[in-house]
Amino acid sequence: MERRYPRIRFQKKLDKLKEEVDKMGQATLKAYREAFSTFIDYDAELVNSVMETNRVVHEMGYQIEHDAMSIIAAEQPVAGDLRFIETSIKVSSHLKRIAGLASNIADIASHLKDEEIPEKPMFDLQRMADIVDGMVSKGLAAFLAKNMNVARELHRDDDKVDDLFDHALKDITKSMFQDKESISYLIYLLFLARFLERIADRAENIGDRTIFMITCEKQQFTIEKKPEE
């Protein structure tokens, strides 16, 4: 029986790491939802909450990296356990980026709070935001449950977001041509659409990393072409 104790101790460390990623994911989702909420109905206190949550999420990410490296150094894990630890670090990195993008969205809200957003791009952006919300939730759930089926759904969801991004881009550009005076604030809608698309890419990457963790087969990871911050 005693020979099993080291494994039990090791498993507790893995479970704690998993809990930390879960908490970080929930905080990230909170930041994202509050950010888009304040875009719909501006609230300065909510903006401050998003900024604070972004700071907390980044601290959580550093703690996860520290704990993960400590486990590797102390336990020398192999195979699936090592992939889980590595994926935890990768997922935390994507969650940090998502929280950072949420803070960017909250900042944009302050520039649009007194403007009347055209109906069509507003509809596209809300649809994008709903799908992106689901993608972040799915990505986190897929990782925590090691669920490949859910992880694979993220590719289809990302295609939907990309299509809506194209529609939003066309509609916003059309509105700019129709009302030249609106360009000064409509440009922020383009930024918003872009930030939503990037969050979707990050969620898709979490799904890809989850599949790699389970199968050890490399996926076609989404590549960020521009820095978020």
Side-chain angles (χ1 to χ4, degrees), residues 119-178:
E119 183 177 350
K120 186 60 174 69
M122 188 66 174
F123 176 80
D124 291 335
L125 290 169
Q126 287 182 311
R127 283 282 297 127
M128 283 182 73
D130 288 343
I131 296 173
V132 169
D133 186 303
M135 288 183 70
V136 177
S137 296
K138 281 182 182 180
L140 183 61
F143 166 71
L144 295 173
K146 298 182 179 179
N147 190 321
M148 281 201 303
N149 292 330
V150 173
R152 284 174 174 146
E153 290 178 13
L154 291 164
H155 290 284
R156 295 191 294 272
D157 292 340
D158 188 62
D159 288 340
K160 294 176 184 177
V161 171
D162 288 342
D163 289 341
L164 285 167
F165 174 76
D166 291 339
H167 291 154
L169 182 62
K170 291 177 183 177
D171 291 334
I172 295 168
T173 303
K174 182 179 179 180
S175 295
M176 286 178 172
F177 278 113
Q178 291 175 341

Side-chain angles (χ1 to χ4, degrees), residues 96-111:
K96 281 196 294 184
R97 294 296 183 267
I98 292 171
L101 288 163
S103 70
N104 290 343
I105 291 172
D107 181 61
I108 279 176
S110 65
H111 296 282

Side-chain angles (χ1 to χ4, degrees), residues 4-187:
R4 294 178 57 191
Y5 289 167
R7 177 64 198 183
I8 293 173
R9 184 177 63 247
F10 175 45
Q11 187 60 52
K12 285 182 177 179
K13 290 182 180 180
L14 295 181
D15 291 343
K16 182 176 180 291
L17 185 63
K18 182 178 178 180
E19 288 175 6
E20 289 177 344
V21 176
D22 187 13
K23 288 179 181 178
M24 186 179 180
Q26 296 305 322
T28 301
L29 269 170
K30 175 178 178 288
Y32 169 73
R33 289 167 178 168
E34 288 185 346
F36 197 78
S37 177
T38 202
F39 163 68
I40 299 297
D41 186 12
Y42 186 76
D43 183 332
E45 290 187 6
L46 213 53
V47 170
N48 291 334
S49 175
V50 173
M51 301 305 178
E52 174 60 18
T53 302
N54 178 40
R55 183 190 67 77
V56 171
V57 165
H58 275 66
E59 289 182 358
M60 288 178 170
Y62 292 128
Q63 187 62 48
I64 286 171
E65 289 179 36
H66 176 271
D67 292 348
M69 296 307 294
S70 295
I71 294 173
I72 292 174
E75 306 292 345
Q76 298 182 342
V78 295
D81 291 331
L82 181 59
R83 291 200 302 274
F84 167 76
I85 295 169
E86 179 193 21
T87 303
S88 295
I89 297 173
K90 295 292 185 181
V91 169
S92 71
S93 177
H94 288 307
L95 291 174
K96 281 196 294 184
R97 294 296 183 267
I98 292 171
L101 288 163
S103 70
N104 290 343
I105 291 172
D107 181 61
I108 279 176
S110 65
H111 296 282
L112 295 169
K113 60 183 179 179
D114 298 321
E115 306 295 347
E116 185 175 348
I117 309 301
E119 183 177 350
K120 186 60 174 69
M122 188 66 174
F123 176 80
D124 291 335
L125 290 169
Q126 287 182 311
R127 283 282 297 127
M128 283 182 73
D130 288 343
I131 296 173
V132 169
D133 186 303
M135 288 183 70
V136 177
S137 296
K138 281 182 182 180
L140 183 61
F143 166 71
L144 295 173
K146 298 182 179 179
N147 190 321
M148 281 201 303
N149 292 330
V150 173
R152 284 174 174 146
E153 290 178 13
L154 291 164
H155 290 284
R156 295 191 294 272
D157 292 340
D158 188 62
D159 288 340
K160 294 176 184 177
V161 171
D162 288 342
D163 289 341
L164 285 167
F165 174 76
D166 291 339
H167 291 154
L169 182 62
K170 291 177 183 177
D171 291 334
I172 295 168
T173 303
K174 182 179 179 180
S175 295
M176 286 178 172
F177 278 113
Q178 291 175 341
D179 182 6
K180 294 294 197 305
E181 294 182 0
S182 69
I183 293 176
S184 61
Y185 76 86
L186 286 178
I187 192 68

Side-chain angles (χ1 to χ4, degrees), residues 178-221:
Q178 291 175 341
D179 182 6
K180 294 294 197 305
E181 294 182 0
S182 69
I183 293 176
S184 61
Y185 76 86
L186 286 178
I187 192 68
Y188 288 108
L189 288 187
L190 293 177
F191 285 128
L192 174 58
R194 181 59 176 151
F195 293 150
L196 289 172
E197 186 197 29
R198 288 182 185 176
I199 292 174
D201 287 342
R202 290 291 177 175
E204 183 183 22
N205 273 334
I206 291 174
D208 287 341
R209 287 290 177 181
T210 297
I211 294 172
F212 176 77
M213 175 181 69
I214 298 168
T215 66
C216 206
E217 294 178 2
K218 185 177 179 181
Q219 303 296 302
Q220 186 62 45
F221 295 109

